[in-house]
Amino acid sequence: MIKMFKSQPNKHKHETFFREILDQLLLGAVFDGIDRSAPVLRWKNPDELSKLISLELPKKPQTLEEVKEFLLNVVHYSVKTGHPHFVNQLFSSLDPFGLIGQIVTDTLNPSVYTYEVAPVFTLLEMELLKEMRSIIGWEKGDGVFCPGGSFANFYGISCARYRFSPDIKEEGLSGRKLVLFTSVDAHYSVKKGTFLLGIGTKNLVLIRTDKQGRMDPTDLEMRIKESIDKDLEPFAVVATAGTTVLGAFDPILPIANICSKYRLWLHVDAAWGGGALMSQKHRWLLRGVARADSITWNPHKLLAAPQQCSVFLTKHESILQDSNSASATYLFQKDKFYDTKWDVGDKYLQCGRRADVLKLWTMWIGKGSEGLEEHVNTLFDVAKATVDEIKSRPENFKLVLTTPEFVNVCFWYIPKRLQGQENSLDYNENLHKIAPKIKERMIKEGTMMVTYQPLGTRPNFFRLVYQNSELTCHDATFFLDEIDRLGRDL
Amino acid sequence: MIKMFKSQPNKHKHETFFREILDQLLLGAVFDGIDRSAPVLRWKNPDELSKLISLELPKKPQTLEEVKEFLLNVVHYSVKTGHPHFVNQLFSSLDPFGLIGQIVTDTLNPSVYTYEVAPVFTLLEMELLKEMRSIIGWEKGDGVFCPGGSFANFYGISCARYRFSPDIKEEGLSGRKLVLFTSVDAHYSVKKGTFLLGIGTKNLVLIRTDKQGRMDPTDLEMRIKESIDKDLEPFAVVATAGTTVLGAFDPILPIANICSKYRLWLHVDAAWGGGALMSQKHRWLLRGVARADSITWNPHKLLAAPQQCSVFLTKHESILQDSNSASATYLFQKDKFYDTKWDVGDKYLQCGRRADVLKLWTMWIGKGSEGLEEHVNTLFDVAKATVDEIKSRPENFKLVLTTPEFVNVCFWYIPKRLQGQENSLDYNENLHKIAPKIKERMIKEGTMMVTYQPLGTRPNFFRLVYQNSELTCHDATFFLDEIDRLGRDL
């Protein structure tokens, strides 16, 4: 009798089971499943879906056939984030090189802390992090892979705090009055970081932005001075390269000058915009980034690596080790026969962790850095084409920024009923309700997925975000036509 | 011409490329590659390995054939953590259900924050977390998946701090004197948590342990009183269920009584030992766990799910939302057409994250909870057999704990030269050097992988850890024979 509970129940059965699922998975989720003619999602509300997929965790094992059916059902009802018409989030597409690199990683199931348990992954990580630092313009430094951009930002704030006052590691924040600065349009992880790290949200100062959504350096300097006058301790600025909604790039150079003047750590959250560094044509957006002390860069965003590939990099060579090491002797023995500088784990906040390097590495060698550059350039081109297309339809569409800097294209859809009503009192209130209604119809039909949100005093608007270099101008036209079709009668 | 940089360069080529790699991957890393007759690793030092795998990130794309060769080379030189003779870390084995669940997840490439982008994963997560809470003995509560047990412990400390003083979220720790308690044998992430969270390592009080490595409740209460006398603010205790080295279980019931008395949050770090809750026979080890406020439980450890599957659970229904939400309007819109209680993302510290639920879900339905129980019972049986085998070889082997509680089997190997020398002055110093030497030979031969470490005043000893239910008593014999073979002449 085959004991199904075992770690390796039966090689023959297991192999057949595997191959059958892989065959249908390739079809349903990698090839035909993400073709433009297939739906992006098959919407079911939570109650319906609970009946369509089996939500039972049984006492007795199910048959292999039942397990297979369940998994294919999961595939059927899941959103196809690799579909070209999934432009809803700051990640998308299903890169073939990235995916196979990920599957190889899963099959090897490594965790990278010591060289001996993950020799290949250790070398690849070191090399890739070095290459990314060199693209930023740093000759030396250090870096870690993170479980997402939020944690990379936490590393940034934490390193800044350590640099400002190393004794906080031991003493804690008791009696300190640390203050952090970022723009009103920064990612919400900066705020989450302040409460996780014990700094407190009231000690996060939000700097105002200009019309394009970029941090205002004059306001920044004024607020720093204010803090000093109040006897507080400014220690760092988090600038954003590619804000979440508008895709704005804070002006790094003037911010860096202010940071130098007041001796503040400059962390650049380039989770979203970091990929632009791969393009000679567009990297000017991050001009001055080499002046930063640290950076968050998520290749799973603009470079379209699979979830997750998120990196924290710093120009300071020893700070990750100094600020994070706990020197656990059961893991980081020093009496080894090889040089333990190759045991990188102690500079991480995580202990066990998934290896995120191989998927990006595989993409890099499969495309070359030139290919990654072309990928990025293509995204900018399609965004530009979308902007032009929106401008050519002024009755129905209105851009939030007439000249967006990045691949975020934000716009309102204006149904006939509201056209020419801009000056009416309840115009904004009415417009605010349009996007959610179109979104509901869009999701229920499953033809595309794009997000909407308000921002400051602006009513709800749509935001297209491009990371899938399979997209063309035809898709841009499709997106606008589809929104028009869904919203015309509203 | 095929544009290789695109997100979907060419379906036909891509499919062929995929299938070829998958075929060889199944062979090299899933079937023959982790057979007992194959090596656990093919050791190369960093310099050698740098020459054997190509460490270049090229400008120009490589051919598909070259990419394939590279990936198979990565497989060849990587440690086979799924091999039954990899007993080096607190994770191992390559569960077929877990692996296919992971591959399906990768192919769908989801990130779980809103129901609309991840409907199936959202429902599975909610259900699985509920089932795990119910196994602990909690009727209500909440939970999150974490990027590893360290972060789950950070969640525990952070929730405890919020419960103790919700205003710290806004005000920060300035002026506070928080104190946290854990045992000297606790995982090092508790220490990392205190500096990340701004509490400071000097405010972490380490409680002494008994001979088995369990926290001493009398010492705990004394130290709490001392803190109160010093006008400090004790807020939480982190107990461990399954310590990293000895596999000890802190006595939860008496600790819970003390926590109730002094109104402290009790977090149980059961990252390693949580899996024992699946077994009616062994769950007594965590007796009283339902009295805890929160728990860390890593199914990627004892239950052998793929890296990573790590969970933080709490009995307090709203605390994750209260302590972690930042209410970003661009992600968590409230004007949706479905009930936004299904948008779970804002209670997480992460924003984008990998979905870790499906691999465990697939294991659960493939084996049933009965199968998971048998898996756990098997590990205890093999550990017991190993202890008996060690006792039957008293000349060469000596147990660190004569009756270990868990599946950690810790022992010294004593080569002939040191036998009968226990009373000599430099005995411990000599014994300390034995394990590293055997480990070096073991790694270079690649026949097995087991870790060693010192602990307190104890010299280096080996620690076998069992998570692979493919293991039998024969493997236990193999481990001891192999260590004897490698160390006999030392």
Side-chain angles (χ1 to χ4, degrees):
Chain A
M1 200 200 117
I2 296 166
K3 294 188 172 166
M4 292 307 292
F5 76 85
K6 292 219 166 201
S7 293
Q8 291 163 42
N10 176 283
K11 290 194 180 181
H12 176 66
K13 271 204 162 185
H14 164 185
E15 182 166 356
T16 311
F17 169 71
F18 240 74
R19 289 187 185 279
E20 283 177 8
I21 295 176
L22 281 175
D23 268 350
Q24 299 212 33
L25 185 64
L26 288 181
L27 204 70
V30 184
F31 304 115
D32 300 0
I34 59 169
D35 194 89
R36 284 180 179 76
S37 62
V40 177
L41 81 161
R42 295 174 175 91
W43 169 261
K44 300 289 167 192
N45 67 42
D47 286 341
E48 290 171 315
L49 189 57
S50 300
K51 285 163 201 150
L52 290 165
I53 52 169
S54 169
L55 282 182
E56 209 201 334
L57 290 163
K59 274 204 162 187
K60 302 278 174 200
Q62 295 190 354
T63 64
L64 292 181
E65 204 47 49
E66 284 167 333
V67 175
K68 187 176 126 187
E69 255 186 63
F70 169 80
L71 287 174
L72 297 176
N73 220 9
V74 167
V75 172
H76 187 78
Y77 288 112
S78 285
V79 172
K80 303 300 179 297
T81 61
H83 194 293
H85 296 163
F86 179 83
V87 285
N88 196 75
Q89 233 64 43
L90 297 186
F91 76 95
S92 76
S93 99
L94 190 65
D95 190 278
F97 294 109
L99 180 59
I100 196 72
Q102 183 61 62
I103 291 177
V104 170
T105 307
D106 287 339
T107 308
L108 292 167
N109 199 31
S111 183
V112 194
Y113 14 59
T114 65
Y115 178 79
E116 67 194 28
V117 294
V120 181
F121 287 93
T122 299
L123 292 181
L124 296 181
E125 279 191 359
M126 283 189 166
E127 198 62 30
L128 188 62
L129 293 172
K130 195 173 109 193
E131 181 69 22
M132 289 175 81
R133 285 197 302 273
S134 136
I135 288 166
I136 291 167
W138 293 336
E139 275 175 28
K140 50 184 195 170
D142 204 355
V144 286
F145 283 83
C146 301
S150 297
F151 276 109
N153 285 339
F154 301 162
Y155 268 108
I157 305 170
S158 165
C159 282
R161 185 177 64 178
Y162 183 82
R163 181 81 163 187
F164 180 72
S165 179
D167 60 318
I168 289 174
K169 185 175 179 182
E170 195 186 329
E171 299 289 329
L173 282 165
S174 183
R176 305 306 294 255
K177 296 171 179 175
L178 266 53
V179 187
L180 179 69
F181 303 83
T182 198
S183 97
V184 290
D185 281 358
H187 189 254
Y188 71 100
S189 57
V190 181
K191 188 173 168 193
K192 291 205 177 193
T194 60
F195 46 79
L196 178 69
L197 273 67
I199 292 165
T201 51
K202 79 160 193 189
N203 301 310
L204 174 66
V205 178
L206 297 178
I207 306 303
R208 80 170 172 236
T209 52
D210 67 12
K211 278 183 188 163
Q212 290 285 110
R214 294 172 297 214
M215 187 193 286
D216 175 355
T218 314
D219 191 43
L220 172 65
E221 185 161 12
M222 208 172 72
R223 305 301 297 274
I224 294 170
K225 282 185 188 159
E226 269 175 24
S227 297
I228 297 170
D229 290 345
K230 285 186 204 157
D231 212 20
L232 303 175
E233 303 178 279
F235 74 107
V237 175
V238 178
T240 312
T243 59
T244 309
V245 179
L246 297 177
F249 286 73
D250 290 345
I252 300 175
L253 270 183
I255 294 173
N257 290 336
I258 295 168
C259 287
S260 298
K261 186 168 166 190
Y262 295 93
R263 304 174 136 252
L264 308 184
W265 182 283
L266 174 56
H267 176 71
V268 176
D269 174 3
W272 175 216
L277 291 167
M278 299 304 294
S279 161
Q280 291 312 311
K281 191 170 167 192
H282 299 288
R283 63 171 289 145
W284 67 269
L285 286 163
L286 290 103
R287 199 167 31 198
V289 69
R291 294 276 305 278
D293 293 286
S294 61
I295 179 172
T296 291
W297 175 358
N298 290 4
H300 73 244
K301 291 193 159 80
L302 199 66
L303 298 182
Q307 283 280 2
Q308 275 181 315
C309 189
S310 177
V311 157
F312 170 78
L313 298 161
T314 171
K315 60 160 62 145
H316 302 280
E317 266 182 306
S318 68
I319 198 157
L320 281 165
Q321 183 71 29
D322 294 344
S323 65
N324 295 324
S325 72
S327 306
T329 48
Y330 53 80
L331 189 51
F332 305 108
Q333 305 92 333
K334 293 296 170 197
D335 50 1
K336 286 184 178 172
F337 67 96
Y338 61 86
D339 186 343
T340 54
K341 77 170 182 195
W342 300 96
D343 293 351
V344 297
D346 203 25
K347 68 186 177 198
Y348 277 81
L349 288 166
Q350 288 173 284
C351 179
R353 68 185 163 93
R354 297 173 72 156
D356 291 321
V357 66
L358 186 60
K359 53 196 165 195
L360 179 57
W361 189 284
T362 310
M363 289 170 66
W364 205 307
I365 61 176
K367 303 177 181 205
S369 49
E370 289 180 1
L372 294 172
E373 178 166 21
E374 281 188 87
H375 165 86
V376 171
N377 290 346
T378 300
L379 304 175
F380 274 87
D381 290 347
V382 181
K384 177 71 174 52
T386 310
V387 168
D388 291 344
E389 176 84 18
I390 288 176
K391 285 181 178 164
S392 77
R393 305 184 187 197
E395 315 79 33
N396 290 125
F397 291 93
K398 187 170 179 243
L399 286 161
V400 174
L401 303 178
T402 46
T403 51
E405 294 188 279
F406 198 30
V407 298
N408 304 37
V409 184
C410 297
F411 60 90
W412 289 278
Y413 174 76
I414 302 148
K416 198 146 198 177
R417 182 170 61 85
L418 295 182
Q419 285 170 22
Q421 309 290 311
E422 292 79 1
N423 297 324
S424 71
L425 271 177
D426 53 358
Y427 180 75
N428 272 2
E429 198 181 313
N430 285 325
L431 188 59
H432 188 66
K433 292 175 188 157
I434 299 300
K437 283 183 192 153
I438 294 177
K439 177 78 184 241
E440 176 175 358
R441 293 176 178 182
M442 182 190 293
I443 286 193
K444 287 180 173 169
E445 296 207 13
T447 47
M448 66 177 282
M449 267 185 90
V450 56
T451 196
Y452 70 85
Q453 66 284 301
L455 187 71
T457 57
R458 294 171 173 115
N460 277 324
F461 55 86
F462 285 112
R463 180 197 61 172
L464 289 166
V465 277
Y466 294 145
Q467 300 120 74
N468 188 328
S469 49
E470 196 55 30
L471 290 165
T472 69
C473 309
H474 298 295
D475 294 300
T477 308
F478 170 82
F479 294 144
L480 300 184
D481 286 348
E482 186 64 9
I483 287 173
D484 188 26
R485 182 181 76 79
L486 293 165
R488 196 169 300 182
D489 65 332
L490 289 177
Chain B
M1 200 198 118
I2 296 167
K3 295 189 172 168
M4 291 308 291
F5 75 85
K6 292 218 168 203
S7 292
Q8 291 162 42
N10 176 283
K11 290 196 181 181
H12 177 66
K13 271 205 164 189
H14 164 187
E15 183 165 356
T16 311
F17 170 70
F18 240 74
R19 289 186 184 280
E20 282 176 8
I21 295 177
L22 282 175
D23 268 349
Q24 299 213 31
L25 185 64
L26 287 181
L27 204 68
V30 185
F31 304 115
D32 299 359
I34 60 168
D35 194 89
R36 283 180 180 75
S37 62
V40 178
L41 81 161
R42 296 175 175 89
W43 169 261
K44 300 289 168 195
N45 68 42
D47 286 342
E48 290 170 315
L49 189 57
S50 300
K51 285 163 200 150
L52 291 166
I53 51 169
S54 168
L55 281 183
E56 208 202 335
L57 290 163
K59 274 205 166 188
K60 301 276 175 202
Q62 295 190 354
T63 64
L64 292 181
E65 203 49 46
E66 285 167 332
V67 175
K68 187 176 125 187
E69 255 185 63
F70 169 80
L71 287 174
L72 298 177
N73 221 8
V74 167
V75 172
H76 187 77
Y77 288 111
S78 285
V79 173
K80 303 302 179 295
T81 62
H83 195 293
H85 296 162
F86 179 83
V87 286
N88 196 76
Q89 232 64 41
L90 297 187
F91 77 95
S92 76
S93 101
L94 191 65
D95 190 277
F97 295 109
L99 180 58
I100 197 72
Q102 183 61 62
I103 291 177
V104 170
T105 306
D106 287 339
T107 309
L108 292 168
N109 198 30
S111 183
V112 194
Y113 12 59
T114 64
Y115 179 80
E116 68 194 30
V117 294
V120 182
F121 287 94
T122 299
L123 292 182
L124 296 181
E125 278 191 358
M126 282 190 167
E127 198 62 28
L128 188 63
L129 293 172
K130 194 173 110 193
E131 181 68 21
M132 290 175 81
R133 286 197 302 273
S134 136
I135 287 165
I136 292 166
W138 294 335
E139 276 175 26
K140 50 184 195 171
D142 203 355
V144 287
F145 283 84
C146 302
S150 296
F151 276 109
N153 285 341
F154 301 163
Y155 269 108
I157 305 170
S158 165
C159 281
R161 185 176 64 179
Y162 184 82
R163 180 82 164 188
F164 180 72
S165 179
D167 61 317
I168 289 174
K169 184 175 180 182
E170 195 186 328
E171 299 289 328
L173 282 165
S174 183
R176 304 307 295 255
K177 297 170 178 174
L178 266 51
V179 187
L180 179 69
F181 304 82
T182 199
S183 96
V184 290
D185 281 359
H187 189 254
Y188 70 100
S189 57
V190 180
K191 190 173 167 191
K192 291 205 176 191
T194 59
F195 47 78
L196 178 68
L197 274 69
I199 291 165
T201 52
K202 79 161 192 187
N203 300 311
L204 174 66
V205 178
L206 297 179
I207 307 303
R208 80 170 173 238
T209 52
D210 66 15
K211 278 183 186 161
Q212 291 284 111
R214 295 172 296 214
M215 187 192 286
D216 175 354
T218 313
D219 191 43
L220 173 64
E221 184 160 12
M222 209 172 71
R223 307 300 297 275
I224 293 171
K225 281 184 188 161
E226 269 176 25
S227 298
I228 296 170
D229 289 346
K230 285 186 203 156
D231 212 22
L232 303 174
E233 305 177 279
F235 75 106
V237 175
V238 178
T240 313
T243 58
T244 309
V245 180
L246 296 177
F249 286 74
D250 290 344
I252 300 176
L253 269 183
I255 294 172
N257 289 335
I258 294 168
C259 287
S260 298
K261 187 170 165 188
Y262 296 92
R263 303 175 138 251
L264 308 183
W265 181 283
L266 174 55
H267 176 71
V268 175
D269 174 3
W272 176 213
L277 290 167
M278 299 304 293
S279 161
Q280 290 312 311
K281 192 170 166 192
H282 299 289
R283 63 172 289 146
W284 68 270
L285 286 163
L286 292 103
R287 201 167 31 198
V289 69
R291 294 276 304 279
D293 294 287
S294 61
I295 180 172
T296 292
W297 176 356
N298 289 5
H300 73 244
K301 291 194 159 80
L302 199 65
L303 299 183
Q307 283 280 4
Q308 279 183 313
C309 189
S310 177
V311 157
F312 170 78
L313 297 162
T314 171
K315 62 161 61 147
H316 302 281
E317 265 181 306
S318 67
I319 198 156
L320 281 164
Q321 183 70 29
D322 294 344
S323 65
N324 296 324
S325 72
S327 306
T329 48
Y330 54 79
L331 190 52
F332 304 109
Q333 306 92 334
K334 293 295 171 196
D335 50 2
K336 286 184 178 172
F337 67 95
Y338 62 85
D339 185 343
T340 53
K341 78 170 182 192
W342 300 96
D343 293 351
V344 298
D346 203 26
K347 67 185 177 198
Y348 276 82
L349 289 164
Q350 288 173 284
C351 179
R353 67 185 163 93
R354 297 172 73 156
D356 290 321
V357 66
L358 186 59
K359 53 196 164 193
L360 179 57
W361 189 284
T362 311
M363 289 169 68
W364 205 306
I365 61 175
K367 302 177 183 208
S369 49
E370 288 180 2
L372 294 172
E373 179 167 20
E374 280 188 87
H375 165 87
V376 171
N377 290 346
T378 300
L379 304 175
F380 275 86
D381 291 346
V382 182
K384 176 70 173 55
T386 310
V387 169
D388 291 344
E389 178 85 19
I390 289 176
K391 285 181 179 167
S392 77
R393 306 183 187 198
E395 314 79 34
N396 290 124
F397 292 92
K398 189 174 177 234
L399 285 161
V400 174
L401 302 179
T402 46
T403 51
E405 293 187 281
F406 198 31
V407 297
N408 304 37
V409 184
C410 297
F411 60 90
W412 290 279
Y413 175 75
I414 303 147
K416 198 145 196 178
R417 182 172 61 85
L418 295 181
Q419 287 169 22
Q421 310 288 310
E422 292 80 3
N423 297 323
S424 71
L425 272 176
D426 55 358
Y427 179 76
N428 272 0
E429 198 181 311
N430 286 324
L431 189 59
H432 188 66
K433 292 175 187 156
I434 299 300
K437 284 183 191 154
I438 295 178
K439 177 79 184 243
E440 175 175 1
R441 293 176 176 182
M442 184 190 293
I443 286 192
K444 288 180 173 168
E445 297 207 12
T447 47
M448 67 177 281
M449 268 185 90
V450 55
T451 195
Y452 71 84
Q453 65 285 300
L455 187 73
T457 57
R458 293 169 174 117
N460 277 325
F461 54 86
F462 285 112
R463 180 197 59 172
L464 289 166
V465 277
Y466 293 145
Q467 301 121 76
N468 188 326
S469 49
E470 196 56 29
L471 290 165
T472 68
C473 310
H474 297 295
D475 294 300
T477 308
F478 169 82
F479 294 143
L480 301 184
D481 287 349
E482 186 65 9
I483 288 173
D484 188 27
R485 181 180 75 79
L486 293 164
R488 197 170 300 183
D489 65 332
L490 289 176

